[in-house]
Amino acid sequence: MKKAERFVRFLKDWTLPVAIAVGTVSYLTFDLVPALDEAGNTLGPVFDLLFPLFVFLTLFVTFCKVDFRQLLPHRWHVGILVAQMLLVAACVGVVFYVKSVDDSHSMLYSPLLWEAVLTCIIGPSAAAAPVVVGKLGGNINTMTTYTLISSLASAVMIPLVFPLLEPPQSGVSADAQVDFLTAFFIILQKVSIVLLLPLVLGWVVQHFAQRLCRWITSKPNLSFYLWSVSLSITTGITVKNIVHSEATWSLLFWIALLSFLFCLVQFLVGRGVGRLLGDEVNSGQALFQKNTALSIWVAYMYLNPVSSIGAGCYVLWQNIINSIELWQYRKNSQ
């Protein structure tokens, strides 16, 4: 095999780690090289526009393949939703406990640390989860249904839980505080734009633009590669938030470590629930693959901005696990 062919094969097999590396190196290059400051300032707004565009295109391509007649609730949906609520309740309990102890000598007793962990748990299932499920041989129809259910559940949990942890007098500006109904509808609006609009357009294309639909479905990896571009942009944003964070290095280390541990916990719990309820692949992805962009936004809305780093680190861990899953699936399929 020629070097060029081996390189292309490597890119196909390890698309997600390559996307993470490209995002990291790209941001650090523009941040550390003074001569690129002007170019970075110009490209920043461009990438802010490209990110939602690529997320939209990823989901639109995926939903063109969905069988809308099969978008029905399944019992594993209930199991995963209950598991998420129990994890959220446990993490909220830990936050209240460490606040009552008020031990500043141990980083594990930092409320900021556990609020960062909470952002990794309470968020909805990632809008792009059906993309990975499809690559793993799972059912994108039931995964799409759960993504909708999860988004609605998180829209209720987030404005209920977060104001309890950080009331207005604890450091978050009054302008950032919003009531439950306002937050609920803001979250639903964001979810609708990202998730429901491409879902509706996917249905329209299936029924009224069948030639375009056949072309899209003939490209099985198109949504995956579109999503990898989104991941690269997300990684750059995550690195930016970490580099410019006001948190201490020890706090950043513990946030990164616990976000990894809880990423692994949610993956294993999701897989365990799936084994009991008959859909291991979908259940694993549903619980651990999170909409980190939404989690980062709500962390800025309700909590100390440092807590958003938890969701930022989480996006890296979940895609490393996704890469291992895809590698294992390819290996078993050969």
Side-chain angles (χ1 to χ4, degrees):
M1 186 181 294
K2 297 179 181 179
K3 290 184 178 180
E5 292 177 347
R6 286 199 297 268
F7 180 70
V8 171
R9 179 63 181 272
F10 173 82
L11 291 179
K12 288 182 177 180
D13 289 346
W14 300 100
T15 303
L16 300 186
V18 169
I20 292 172
V22 168
T24 301
V25 173
S26 297
Y27 174 75
L28 291 177
T29 299
F30 280 97
D31 185 61
L32 298 175
V33 179
L36 297 176
D37 285 347
E38 185 175 348
N41 294 333
T42 303
L43 291 174
V46 175
F47 283 109
D48 289 340
L49 293 174
L50 286 177
F51 176 69
L53 174 63
F54 274 95
V55 172
F56 176 88
L57 290 174
T58 299
L59 296 178
F60 168 67
V61 170
T62 301
F63 293 150
C64 284
K65 306 173 185 178
V66 166
D67 185 347
F68 286 86
R69 294 169 297 182
Q70 295 186 23
L71 295 184
L72 300 172
H74 287 253
R75 60 177 186 168
W76 71 261
H77 292 166
V78 178
I80 292 300
L81 198 57
V82 170
Q84 183 186 17
M85 289 180 177
L86 291 175
L87 287 170
V88 167
C91 193
V92 170
V94 172
V95 173
F96 281 123
Y97 173 73
V98 297
K99 284 188 174 184
S100 67
V101 173
D102 192 23
D103 184 357
S104 58
H105 298 291
S106 175
M107 191 59 68
L108 286 175
Y109 285 91
S110 168
L112 273 179
L113 173 62
W114 291 100
E115 287 177 359
V117 170
L118 181 60
T119 65
C120 303
I121 299 173
I122 201 170
S125 182
V131 178
V132 180
V133 162
K135 293 283 289 183
L136 292 172
N139 189 321
I140 65 172
N141 301 313
T142 57
M143 188 68 245
T144 299
T145 304
Y146 182 76
T147 302
L148 296 170
I149 295 171
S150 173
S151 298
L152 183 61
S154 291
V156 174
M157 284 191 292
I158 289 168
L160 274 178
V161 170
F162 279 20
L164 299 175
L165 303 180
E166 290 284 354
Q169 67 270 20
S170 63
V172 180
S173 66
D175 292 338
Q177 297 295 320
V178 293
D179 58 68
F180 170 80
L181 286 178
T182 303
F184 177 77
F185 285 113
I186 288 174
I187 294 171
L188 282 188
Q189 180 187 36
K190 288 179 174 288
V191 169
S192 297
I193 293 173
V194 173
L195 188 61
L196 293 184
L197 183 57
L199 186 68
V200 171
L201 288 180
W203 181 88
V204 170
V205 168
Q206 281 191 22
H207 289 81
F208 301 103
Q210 295 180 356
R211 186 174 180 180
L212 173 61
C213 186
R214 285 194 296 270
W215 181 85
I216 291 174
T217 55
S218 69
K219 312 293 182 184
N221 293 318
L222 179 59
S223 59
F224 183 69
Y225 293 133
L226 288 170
W227 177 49
S228 69
V229 176
S230 304
L231 173 60
S232 187
I233 298 173
T234 304
T235 302
I237 295 172
T238 299
V239 175
K240 175 184 177 182
N241 291 339
I242 293 174
V243 169
H244 295 282
S245 171
E246 297 180 357
T248 63
W249 283 107
S250 59
L251 179 57
L252 289 175
F253 168 79
W254 280 105
I255 289 176
L257 178 60
L258 286 189
S259 65
F260 167 71
L261 292 177
F262 276 86
C263 182
L264 194 59
V265 165
Q266 290 184 98
F267 174 75
L268 295 175
V269 169
R271 286 273 179 158
V273 171
R275 279 193 293 272
L276 291 175
L277 300 180
D279 202 330
E280 185 175 353
V281 172
N282 282 54
S283 296
Q285 295 303 128
L287 187 58
F288 105 97
Q289 191 170 343
K290 298 294 186 181
N291 186 336
T292 51
L294 183 60
S295 297
I296 290 171
W297 173 77
V298 295
Y300 271 98
M301 175 68 72
Y302 285 116
L303 307 176
N304 189 303
V306 173
S307 63
S308 66
I309 297 173
C313 293
Y314 192 94
V315 71
L316 303 179
W317 301 132
Q318 75 177 8
N319 282 291
I320 290 172
I321 292 178
N322 280 334
S323 300
I324 296 172
E325 283 187 289
L326 292 169
W327 170 78
Q328 187 67 43
Y329 181 77
R330 288 194 304 270
K331 181 180 177 182
N332 294 338
S333 299
Q334 291 176 353

